[in-house]
Every structure is written in structure tokens, then in C-alpha cells.
Amino acid sequence: MVSLSALDRERFGVVTARDPSFTAESLAGVLRFCAEHGVQMLIARCAAEDLRAAQAMEAAGGRIMDTLVYYARVLDRPFPDDRPATPVRALRTEDVPAVRRVATESFRGYFGHYHADPRLDRARCDETYASWAERSCVDVTAASKVLVAEHEGRVAGFLTLLAHGPEEQEIVLNGVDPAVQRHGIYRALVLAAMHEARGAGARRLIVSTQLINLGVQKTWTRLGFELARSYYTFHRWADAAPAS
Ligand SMILES: CC(C)(COP(=O)(O)OP(=O)(O)OC[C@H]1O[C@@H](n2cnc3c(N)ncnc32)[C@H](O)[C@@H]1OP(=O)(O)O)[C@@H](O)C(=O)NCCC(=O)NCCS
């Protein structure tokens, strides 16, 4: 369902709408909504197998910004039994500035759909992730749980979890300080998230990223996650779209 995004409007100063799952059939209605609400930028996703939808969006002036892959881990299968050297614990109130700092450093110049759009201001794209991480620490609709990893007594990584009902949890946002990457900190965070979700009674843990983010996919597949589904993300700017 298409809807206006107050958050993106605030971030980028343009009237923005989002549609998490359009099809070739629904697209005409989505574009009508955009015209009626003066939407300048539409952010819309379709299932990667639905090429008819993707091609209809191309014809309507949408440009591809990323390919998102979702992985799922069934939690009643055995977990690896090693104990990572990196301690991971629940967020404390005083960690919020450190989480923001790690998000700022780790997502600078990232390759998500915001950064892929040359019309969006780089600094604001970076800020999107920092403010999202900060919000996740204080707003239960953004994250039900935040885990932090410590390296030499400092917060060096974070991971947010969101419960989708009792059965399923999602790893939503996660990053490791570039100064200490490639030390297994991320693996420790994901393993801790698996324990956390299973401990809360969930049966499935899901997570998503850009197809080209190979580091995280290596970690996930080694921990027993399996590729589940994929989406194309488009941005459509009304002032660059063909007249309908
Ligand atoms: C992705 C990220 C979280 C990995 O953190 P990390 O602590 O360095 O990860 P780990 O040390 O546990 O390494 C996990 C695996 O990924 C690999 N890896 C890490 N960065 C990689 C990269 N840029 N390209 C390819 N592989 C990479 C590691 O080498 C390791 O595999 P290996 O055992 O074969 O060496 C970190 O690089 C980061 O914060 N990136 C920017 C934000 C981001 O991508 N967040 C995740 C969005 S879903």
C-alpha cells in the first residue's frame, strides 16, 4: 500500500511516498495517488521475480536504486556452539551516543537506495542511518531490542531487532565501527541476536541487505540463514517522469 513518508520528507525536503510492494496491476493506482498528493519522489519496491512490475515502473520513469535480498534463519535448528570473544549485551541508556557514532561511521557513503540516488544530498543520506539508529534506541516501534558489542571496553557495533508478532523477529539495522571491522564483531552480534530471538520465543529470524553487501551475507549463510526472497527498489521523480 502506497503512503506518504513524513520521515523522508523531513530528511530530504521533498514530498515522498513509499510503496513496499507494487505490482504491474497496482502501479496505475500508485501513480494516481502520487499525482493527487503532489508527491515529488516515490520510493517503491517490487518482488524481483515480478519483471512485469519492474518493467512497468521503468516505463513510468522509475530508476533502479538497489536490489534487496532477504535471508531467514529457522531458530529450532541447532546453533554453532562456539562462544565469540566479543562481548555482546543489551543497550544501556548511556550507550545511545555511541550507537549513533558507530552508525555514522559505518554507514558513511553506504550503498543503499538513498545513496544510489544522485539527486539526494550525500550528507543527508548518511544522516538517515545515524538518526535511524538513534531512534531505534528510544522508540519501540523502530526496534524492540538493541544489542551492542564491546571492543576494548567501548561500544564498537550495534544491532537492532524488531518483533513481527511472537513467531518472527527481524534484524533491522546493524553496523560495526570501521576502525575495528574484520575482527568477527559482526558475527558475534548476529549470533547473539539469534539467541535473543530464540529466547523470546521466536521461531524465525529474518534480515535483509543489498545484493552487493557480501560481507554480511557470508556471515549469515555461515550461521545457517538461507536466501528467502528479493526485491528491486525504484525511485521515481515526478519532474523527470514521462507524461502519462
Ligand atoms: C558489514 C559489517 C557489519 C561487517 O562487520 P565486521 O565486524 O567487519 O564483520 P566480521 O569481522 O564478523 O566479518 C564477517 C565476514 O565478512 C567479511 N567481510 C567484512 N567486510 C567485508 C567486505 N567489505 N567485503 C567482503 N567481505 C567482508 C569478513 O572478512 C568476514 O568473512 P571472513 O571470515 O571470510 O573474513 C561492517 O563492515 C559494517 O558495518 N559495514 C557497513 C554497514 C553495513 O553494511 N551494515 C549491514 C547492513 S545489512
Side-chain angles (χ1 to χ4, degrees):
M1 276 293 286
V2 64
S3 59
L4 293 172
S5 170
L7 213 53
D8 286 309
R9 180 178 189 157
E10 195 184 308
R11 281 167 184 155
F12 298 109
V14 292
V15 180
T16 304
R18 283 177 165 263
D19 188 328
S21 58
F22 73 93
T23 62
E25 288 69 32
S26 71
L27 187 58
V30 174
L31 298 182
R32 215 168 26 247
F33 174 95
C34 290
E36 282 166 12
H37 292 83
V39 170
Q40 294 164 279
M41 175 174 67
L42 168 67
I43 301 172
R45 292 203 160 110
C46 70
E49 68 269 23
D50 190 355
L51 285 176
R52 272 187 65 228
Q55 289 164 1
M57 178 56 98
E58 285 179 331
R63 297 183 67 198
I64 191 156
M65 295 295 154
D66 74 13
T67 303
L68 205 60
V69 285
Y70 269 85
Y71 283 73
R73 174 54 151 99
V74 177
L75 296 174
D76 56 15
R77 299 220 184 104
F79 287 11
D81 54 12
D82 62 305
R83 288 181 60 83
T86 304
V88 176
R89 59 168 174 80
L91 178 89
R92 296 183 196 127
T93 315
E94 63 268 27
D95 297 326
V96 179
V99 169
R100 186 185 166 86
R101 176 185 54 77
V102 172
T104 303
E105 296 302 325
S106 58
F107 284 99
R108 182 169 291 127
Y110 188 59
F111 38 72
H113 65 97
Y114 292 120
H115 287 92
D117 191 332
R119 291 186 61 168
L120 296 179
D121 179 75
R122 286 343 25 224
R124 286 181 190 217
C125 294
D126 290 345
E127 171 57 23
T128 296
Y129 292 94
S131 57
W132 184 5
E134 193 171 25
R135 191 160 39 87
S136 302
C137 296
V138 293
D139 177 353
V140 288
T141 64
S144 24
K145 184 100 193 183
V146 178
L147 301 176
V148 298
E150 284 186 355
H151 182 77
E152 295 175 351
R154 273 164 56 95
V155 171
F158 74 97
L159 178 152
T160 73
L161 279 166
L162 186 62
H164 300 303
E167 299 269 298
E168 184 176 276
Q169 296 215 6
E170 177 170 1
I171 297 174
V172 178
L173 193 60
N174 38 179
V176 171
D177 186 340
V180 290
Q181 284 177 5
R182 303 191 102 132
H183 286 84
I185 294 175
Y186 186 61
R187 184 180 188 282
L189 274 166
V190 177
L191 189 55
M194 288 164 54
H195 282 285
E196 174 66 34
R198 188 175 64 179
R203 301 185 58 210
R204 245 162 67 95
L205 182 60
I206 62 170
V207 63
S208 66
T209 194
Q210 281 66 37
L211 180 61
I212 56 171
N213 195 343
L214 300 183
V216 292
Q217 291 174 75
K218 273 201 219 180
T219 300
W220 300 341
T221 48
R222 287 171 190 169
L223 288 173
F225 286 74
E226 292 179 351
L227 185 58
R229 52 202 158 92
S230 50
Y231 296 90
Y232 295 127
T233 310
F234 294 90
H235 289 189
R236 176 185 182 271
W237 287 86
D239 62 4
S244 51

